[in-house]
Amino acid sequence: MPMLKTKKAKGSEARLAKYGVFFVLPFLLVYLLFNFWPTLYTILLSFTDLQGFETKMHFVGGVNFANLVKDGNFWGAVINTFIMWGFNFAPQLGIALIFAVIFTDPGMNGLKGKNAFRAIFYLPNLLTAASVAILFRSLFAYPIGPVNQFFTKIGIQATVMRGDEMVKEGLNFFRSPAWSRGIVSFIQWWMWCGQTLIMLMAGITSISPSLYESAVVDGATQNQQTWYITLPLLRPMMVYLLVTSIIGGMQLFEIPFLLTDMRGGPDYKIRTMVLYMYNTAFQGKNRYGYASAIAMGVFIITMFFSLLVFFFMQDRSEPKGKK
């Protein structure tokens, strides 16, 4: 009888399993149509000279990639991307880690308003990039935006030459490469710090409380618990955050595109790789083939640095067993 029941159970599972295809099929079709095929088509285009309103494309081999390697504009965009990503991710991870340790401290369980603060911290992540860009463009507007009005009241103004005399006026933030990069980095930090905080808190709460209890018995301080227990056991989450941040940072587009002149000004100092790709494909001569090569370059760079993160953040503390 038990054997008969087992066979019946397996038979019913097999009959039900075939219906799972119908649930997976919509996702599979959408993926093939809007993700897999465009990826293959981009790879194909990167080996052609398609541009403008032409419908015929000619195979040119690796010419686009050879030009990409020698393209100073592309490598300038690579540098810009890494600068803005670095000034965004470093404070984002540091500040989120500090708050994650504070919020997961058992001694903070009775703190009033803690959950409300978490929600407020996460709210910027729910805003669209377009609305955030418009908001910050208004805040830092020249010459009488709210930030300029505040700076004027505390005596911070730009000195410029008007005719034969020197006059003071508001700062033109989006004419300064340093200010523009700083604003873009701050926006990215402001939008994504809440997400990083939530992920780090999830990682910390998954650590067994018995480890901390043992550390307290052994006389470990709060700082020692954080340094020797929390941080080492957060390594997998750190790797995940770093890799996803690299992937997102290398695709930085909306904020630099909407914040200034849609070309990465001033002096192309906030022109990212994806923004350069967009300008190449959809502005000017519409060089679709070369823009596809840029997209492949972005993919290779992102993959390379993601693999570096996996390699250098591997846990090498445990010796490998002998075969």
Side-chain angles (χ1 to χ4, degrees):
M1 289 297 291
M3 183 67 70
L4 183 61
K5 289 182 178 179
T6 304
K7 288 183 178 180
K8 286 183 178 180
K10 288 183 178 180
S12 61
E13 288 177 4
R15 287 194 299 272
L16 291 174
K18 65 181 180 181
Y19 295 108
V21 176
F22 296 101
F23 293 97
V24 175
L25 193 59
F27 166 79
L28 183 61
L29 292 176
V30 171
Y31 173 79
L32 291 174
L33 184 62
F34 295 104
N35 196 314
F36 186 71
W37 166 241
T39 301
L40 289 181
Y41 190 62
T42 300
I43 297 173
L44 173 64
L45 283 181
S46 66
F47 294 99
T48 68
D49 61 352
L50 184 66
Q51 67 177 25
F53 293 100
E54 297 178 4
T55 56
K56 294 183 179 180
M57 51 186 174
H58 305 92
F59 182 76
V60 295
V63 171
N64 288 330
F65 293 97
N67 293 334
L68 185 65
V69 173
K70 298 181 291 184
D71 189 351
N73 292 329
F74 173 73
W75 293 111
V78 173
I79 293 172
N80 294 338
T81 304
F82 273 97
I83 288 175
M84 289 183 286
W85 172 76
F87 281 104
N88 151 41
F89 183 71
Q92 178 189 141
L93 182 62
I95 294 174
L97 182 59
I98 292 172
F99 279 106
V101 171
I102 292 173
F103 287 153
T104 54
D105 184 356
M108 300 291 288
N109 290 335
L111 182 65
K112 293 183 179 179
K114 184 176 67 173
N115 292 330
F117 186 81
R118 291 177 183 174
I120 293 171
F121 215 83
Y122 185 76
L123 276 178
N125 190 249
L126 304 178
L127 302 177
T128 62
S131 59
V132 171
I134 294 172
L135 170 64
F136 276 82
R137 189 173 177 84
S138 301
L139 288 174
F140 290 89
Y142 170 82
I144 54 171
V147 176
N148 262 320
Q149 292 182 22
F150 172 74
F151 280 0
T152 299
K153 288 184 178 181
I154 63 176
I156 300 176
Q157 289 181 290
T159 304
V160 296
M161 195 75 175
R162 297 289 187 192
D164 297 330
E165 59 178 332
M166 302 289 290
V167 297
K168 290 186 175 182
E169 61 179 25
L171 299 172
N172 197 341
F173 296 100
F174 299 114
R175 289 285 184 178
S176 166
W179 273 109
S180 298
R181 283 175 170 176
I183 292 171
V184 171
S185 299
F186 175 78
I187 291 173
Q188 291 297 118
W189 169 85
W190 180 68
M191 289 183 66
W192 292 101
C193 193
Q195 172 75 12
T196 306
L197 171 64
I198 296 298
M199 298 303 295
L200 289 174
M201 288 178 60
I204 294 174
T205 53
S206 67
I207 299 173
S208 175
S210 61
L211 296 174
Y212 295 101
E213 292 169 1
S214 300
V216 171
V217 171
D218 291 337
T221 63
Q222 184 67 43
N223 290 337
Q224 289 173 330
Q225 294 175 43
T226 301
W227 187 258
Y228 293 106
I229 299 177
T230 305
L231 293 181
L233 294 179
L234 273 180
R235 185 191 297 270
M237 183 59 72
M238 293 284 194
V239 172
Y240 170 80
L241 290 173
L242 188 52
V243 171
T244 54
S245 180
I246 289 174
I247 294 171
M250 297 304 102
Q251 299 179 30
L252 180 59
F253 171 73
E254 299 96 334
I255 300 300
F257 179 76
L258 297 170
L259 205 58
T260 55
D261 61 354
M262 299 185 182
R263 290 182 177 271
D267 197 25
Y268 302 111
K269 293 300 183 183
I270 63 169
R271 180 169 63 184
T272 62
M273 292 185 286
V274 177
L275 181 53
Y276 181 51
M277 178 187 68
Y278 175 88
N279 295 148
T280 303
F282 303 110
Q283 295 176 346
K285 296 181 179 179
N286 302 112
R287 301 166 63 194
Y288 301 118
Y290 189 61
S292 298
I294 295 173
M296 296 306 301
V298 174
F299 170 76
I300 292 170
I301 290 172
T302 304
M303 182 65 69
F304 173 75
F305 282 97
S306 297
L307 291 175
L308 276 184
V309 169
F310 276 111
F311 177 77
F312 285 108
M313 294 194 70
Q314 285 181 352
D315 188 0
R316 298 180 176 85
S317 59
E318 295 182 3
K320 296 181 179 180
K322 295 182 181 180
K323 293 184 179 180

